[in-house]
Structure formats: C-alpha cells, structure tokens
Amino acid sequence: MDGVKRKSARTQAQQAERTRRARLSQVHYISFRMANNGITSHRPASQGLYERACQLFPGGVNSPVRAFKAVGGTPVFLHSGQGARVQDVDGNTYLDFLGSWGPLIFGHADPDIIAAIVAAASSGTSFGAPTPREIDLAERIRLAMPTLEKLRFVSSGTEATMSALRVARGFTKRSKIIKIDGGYHGHADTLLAAAGSGALTLGIPGSAGVTAAAVADTIVVPFNDLDAMEAAFEAEANRDQIAALIVEPIPGNMGLVLPRPAYLPKLRALCDHHKTLLIFDEVISGFRVGRGGAQQLFGVRPDLTCLGKVIGGGLPLGVYGGRADVMGVVAPEGPVYQAGTLSGNPLAVAAGIATLKKLDDAAFRTLDSLGGMLEDGLGRVIRRSGIKARVQRVGSMFTLFFTDTEVTDLASAKQADTTRFGRFFHAMLDRGFYLPPAQLEAAFISLAHTPDDIESFVVAAKEVFPTL
Ligand code: KE4
C-alpha cells in the first residue's frame, strides 16, 4: 500500500507542479502582452518605411524571404534586439524565433560576442592579409569537426557551397552534380535548380536568369529516396560523371525534415562506390544541432563540408573544407581558383571565436531541452485543437507544419496548408512572437530563450489555434 500511496503522492505533486507552471506562464504571458499593448497588428512606421524601401530595393527587401510574400502583409522593420527579443520601429517587442535565419544561437547582442567584435574593430576592420585570429577559429572548427582537415573562410553560405562544388569538379575532373529536390544551398547558378527556401516559397525554384547550360549538369533527386538516388548514379548518362552529391543532412529549406535512419550512411556508400564526393551543406546544422554538426550526430563522414550562420556569430562568414587531398586543388596550392576580399574578416572571425568558445555540450543540452518543451507544448495544443498540424524538430530548430502526415521530402512538404500557416504567423506576430515568414523554413530557439518564453509561446499558440 505504501508504494501505491507514494506513487499517487508523486503524481499529485507532478500535477500540482504542472498547474503551477501553467498559471505562471499564463501570468507571464499576459504581462508580456500588456507590456506590448496587447494585440498589435497596427504598424504604421513599418508601413511607411516599407513604402520608401520599395523605391530602393526589389520588393523593398535585401533578401526575398524577408518580404512576407509567403504569409502576406507588410514586413516588420526591426531596429534592435536584446537576447531573445527584438523591437520593431513601432515600439512593439517580439520574442524572436527566427534568430536571423539561424546565426543567433546566443540571441541578439550577446555581451561576449559584442565585446569581441568591438575589441577586434578597435584594431582595424580588415587587412586583406593573413591574421592570427583566422588560425584560432579554424583550429576550433577543426577540433569540433575533424573532417575539415583543411578549410577556407568565405563571406557567405552561397560562397561556401559554390566553392565546394568547384573544388569537387576540379578534384574529380567530372562535371555532373546531384542536389536534392527542395534543397537550398544559396543562389549560385548551378544550384538554383529545384531550390528550396525563398526560391521554393516564391515559386521560382529554377530562377530566371540561370541558363540551361548552367544547370545542365545538375541532377535533382528527392530527399529520403534511396531508389531514386541509386538510379541517378546508375543511369548510363551519369555513370562515372558525377563529381559531387551535395545535401543538407538535415534539410531546413523545405521546412525541417529528418533523414531516415539508413539514408545518410547509404549516401556515403553510394559516393564511395561511384567515386563521387559527398558534400554536407551544414550552413544551418553546423554548430546548431551539436558541436560536431549533423555529421557527428549521424556518424557519417562527408568529403567536404560547408558552414555558415552560427560560426559567424551574426556577421558574414562561411566556410568550406574537408579532406586535405581534395582541398589541395585550391589555389594557390592547386589549379582551382577561389578568392575573396573580405574572406576571414577579423570582425566576423572574432564573433565566431566568441560564439564557439561558449558553445559547449551543456549549451546544446539546454537548447534541446527548450526545443523539447516547445515540441511537447505545441503537441498538446495540436491534439486539443484537432487541427491537422505537426512539429518536426532537431534540437533547437523546428518547423510547425500544417499537415498531419510526416514530411519526409519536398512532395510531402508541399502538402502543408501554407494559407493556414500564414494565418498562424500573423496571429502569433500580433501577440508578440516573430516566426520565419514562410511555412517551408525552419524556426530557431536560442540560449537567450527561457522556459517561461517557451511556455508563453505555447500559451499564445493555444489561444491562436482555435481561430485558425
Ligand atoms: P547565405 O548565402 O544566405 O549566407 O547562405 C546560403 C545557404 C546555404 N545553405 C543552406 C543550408 C542555407 O540554409 C542557406 C541560406 N538559408 C536561408 C534561409 N533558409 C537564408 C535566408 C535568406 O535567404 O535570406
């Protein structure tokens, strides 16, 4: 009898704790809303700036996904951020679940990262010459991701993937490449075939201005489909001609999709068999899903890796690197040319070092715990609402898909109800929660977010779902 009593006492205590937290998060959420003058869909200052911006920039923005085309309405102009919060030009505060599309793993204006940038800037902003700091960051990256035996800094993810492909073609002396349907690797011509992210959202996965010749050697294969991948390798026209297979090991640009257990190891085996280089585009997943990225998480060694976002701490920095023999073809050591005025920029490198210094295993446990709280909370909201929706998550990156079937590739991602996502996006925005303005993207939690912030998000979602 004692055992049963103890169990029921424990259950009661757990229930009491859940009730306490729910009340606390309700109080926290209401005070957050009151600080933000409740529901705020009136943003005159953003509207005015947007009209001016449209006179200057195509679509009023400097990157298409920022234009709110996928969700409708006028983009919110932000002027500052602190930790997990951003402020718009109308004085509204939002809990930020975009995090600049992934870089801000410590949130906005992290004191250590700002201090590192200020210190670096006070000694000059760029030299166009080698600096000791670049060695420091490169050694930290290689310690965390040993497959990057040699690497090169560039200024964006696009530059990283574009360069990695050129290196793969130069090393193998082959011309064809395989990319994933809905995979996004930046906007280099050869990769703008069936591209994800903004290209997919705007319905231009094959961008105008990219000539047929530029993508003639680009083979597109659905994610998680090993039969299609084997067929692509075996096809007579492709045999022994495929230089590289480039893949986001955890796709984030068709919404967040998980690789099936055997998928990535099988890609490694296929590349080995066909002497094709395996390129992991870890611009999102690198230093986001763990210190060693997706390649450590899944235990698969790529030949080349592309990095970006987190390792620049919010400043422009990308990396490509991998096997020393492959990187040996890069100029000035070898005949493959790649260059950049601001490559290894001292400010970006300083921000990257400050970021990686703090990104220890405890940080990733915290990120996964916060992500788990959000996934569980949203799961309860979805079940209670009866709405067709599901959360797909790895650590602190997630997508709330408005479909109840598992999203395993682009075709299933396209089943999601993007109109309903747009309504959810704006209802949450009006309550002070800033999400990626597109269904087929990943959202991000930072180490600046607290459990109360996550609870507030869930309370808001609980309020919004019935209105969808
Ligand atoms: P950038 O050139 O934008 O730094 O990186 C290109 C890139 C490469 N690889 C992956 C896996 C990426 O996700 C990206 C860029 N991601 C998008 C959002 N999913 C950036 C946002 C934007 O285009 O404004």
Side-chain angles (χ1 to χ4, degrees):
M1 274 305 280
D2 284 355
V4 171
K5 273 190 189 155
R6 264 202 307 279
K7 191 170 177 315
S8 67
R10 194 167 56 243
T11 312
Q12 281 168 3
Q14 285 166 346
Q15 180 52 43
E17 172 58 13
R18 267 201 294 274
T19 308
R20 185 190 72 78
R21 284 206 62 81
R23 283 211 189 98
L24 184 68
S25 54
Q26 188 77 29
V27 168
H28 182 81
Y29 170 60
I30 289 165
S31 59
F32 174 70
R33 286 265 305 275
M34 282 163 64
N36 219 3
N37 51 60
I39 299 270
T40 157
S41 57
H42 186 51
R43 303 181 188 94
S46 273
Q47 184 60 44
L49 288 171
Y50 182 59
E51 284 155 20
R52 277 173 59 195
C54 285
Q55 307 306 312
L56 293 159
F57 315 118
V61 291
N62 282 300
S63 195
V65 279
R66 304 176 188 175
F68 277 27
K69 292 297 181 207
V71 294
T74 300
V76 173
F77 279 66
L78 302 181
H79 74 68
S80 63
Q82 285 298 332
R85 285 162 172 72
V86 287
Q87 283 76 34
D88 72 12
V89 292
D90 287 287
N92 303 305
T93 297
Y94 305 88
L95 265 173
D96 183 12
F97 287 86
L98 176 62
S100 181
W101 302 93
L104 303 182
I105 202 159
F106 284 100
H108 294 271
D110 173 84
D112 298 322
I113 295 172
I114 297 300
I117 294 168
V118 169
S122 57
S123 316
T125 55
S126 179
F127 302 99
T131 64
R133 237 189 233 105
E134 292 158 72
I135 295 170
D136 182 357
L137 181 56
E139 286 176 341
R140 288 172 190 277
I141 290 171
R142 192 168 64 178
L143 192 63
M145 304 177 94
T147 63
L148 282 97
E149 295 167 352
K150 283 255 179 119
L151 56 127
R152 176 61 69 84
F153 288 127
V154 291
S155 299
S156 71
T158 293
E159 270 192 276
T161 58
M162 175 176 75
S163 309
L165 282 181
R166 186 179 310 134
V167 167
R169 285 169 158 156
F171 179 79
T172 60
K173 298 185 178 45
R174 297 176 174 183
S175 59
K176 290 180 184 291
I177 61 162
I178 296 178
K179 77 172 287 289
I180 297 299
D181 195 12
Y184 181 72
H185 307 285
H187 62 90
D189 278 11
T190 193
L191 286 164
L192 278 181
S197 186
L200 170 65
T201 296
L202 293 168
I204 42 176
S207 165
V210 172
T211 63
V215 291
D217 287 329
T218 303
I219 303 156
V220 177
V221 178
F223 191 66
N224 272 329
D225 183 339
L226 286 169
D227 294 342
M229 188 61 77
E230 285 195 81
F233 273 104
E234 298 293 343
E236 201 46 46
N238 302 335
R239 192 183 295 280
D240 302 332
Q241 294 188 45
I242 300 172
L245 158 55
I246 186 166
V247 60
E248 293 172 69
I250 304 170
N253 289 291
M254 49 181 110
L256 182 84
V257 175
L258 283 150
R260 290 211 172 95
Y263 185 69
L264 296 175
K266 185 67 179 166
L267 294 189
R268 176 68 274 171
L270 281 168
C271 286
D272 289 343
H273 180 69
H274 293 279
K275 297 183 177 37
T276 293
L277 295 182
L278 178 58
I279 303 177
F280 271 8
D281 178 349
E282 295 221 42
V283 166
I284 290 183
S285 57
F287 295 100
R288 168 60 64 175
V289 300
R291 273 195 74 81
Q295 55 194 265
Q296 180 188 53
L297 205 58
F298 295 104
V300 174
R301 285 181 67 91
D303 300 299
L304 291 172
T305 297
C306 302
L307 298 170
K309 296 184 193 262
V310 169
I311 57 159
L315 269 66
L317 196 142
V319 167
Y320 72 95
R323 279 170 38 191
D325 60 333
V326 175
M327 292 297 286
V329 301
V330 180
E333 221 172 281
V336 176
Y337 196 71
Q338 176 272 317
T341 306
L342 297 176
S343 294
N345 173 266
L347 308 194
V349 168
I353 292 168
T355 299
L356 296 201
K357 265 182 181 171
K358 303 205 293 179
L359 262 185
D360 55 15
D361 289 342
F364 288 108
R365 283 195 296 274
T366 303
L367 287 165
D368 191 44
S369 156
L370 291 169
M373 272 183 74
L374 185 134
E375 182 177 13
D376 295 349
L378 274 184
R380 287 194 297 274
V381 169
I382 292 166
R383 281 190 299 280
R384 192 177 293 120
S385 72
I387 282 184
K388 287 184 177 179
R390 59 181 286 113
V391 177
Q392 296 191 181
R393 172 183 79 89
V394 176
S396 57
M397 57 190 277
F398 68 94
T399 296
L400 169 62
F401 285 103
F402 281 93
T403 175
D404 55 0
T405 47
E406 188 187 6
V407 177
T408 57
D409 57 12
L410 181 60
S412 46
K414 283 179 168 177
Q415 303 307 310
D417 183 338
T418 53
T419 306
R420 187 167 253 177
F421 175 84
R423 284 203 293 272
F424 177 72
F425 172 85
H426 280 288
M428 293 297 279
L429 188 70
D430 292 351
R431 285 165 173 77
F433 299 87
Y434 195 99
L435 281 159
Q439 165 73 94
L440 302 184
E441 291 283 359
F444 299 94
I445 298 167
S446 81
L447 285 155
H449 286 79
T450 65
D452 277 346
D453 293 333
I454 303 299
E455 289 283 345
S456 292
F457 183 92
V458 172
V459 169
K462 189 172 144 195
E463 204 174 76
V464 164
F465 257 67
T467 70
L468 297 179

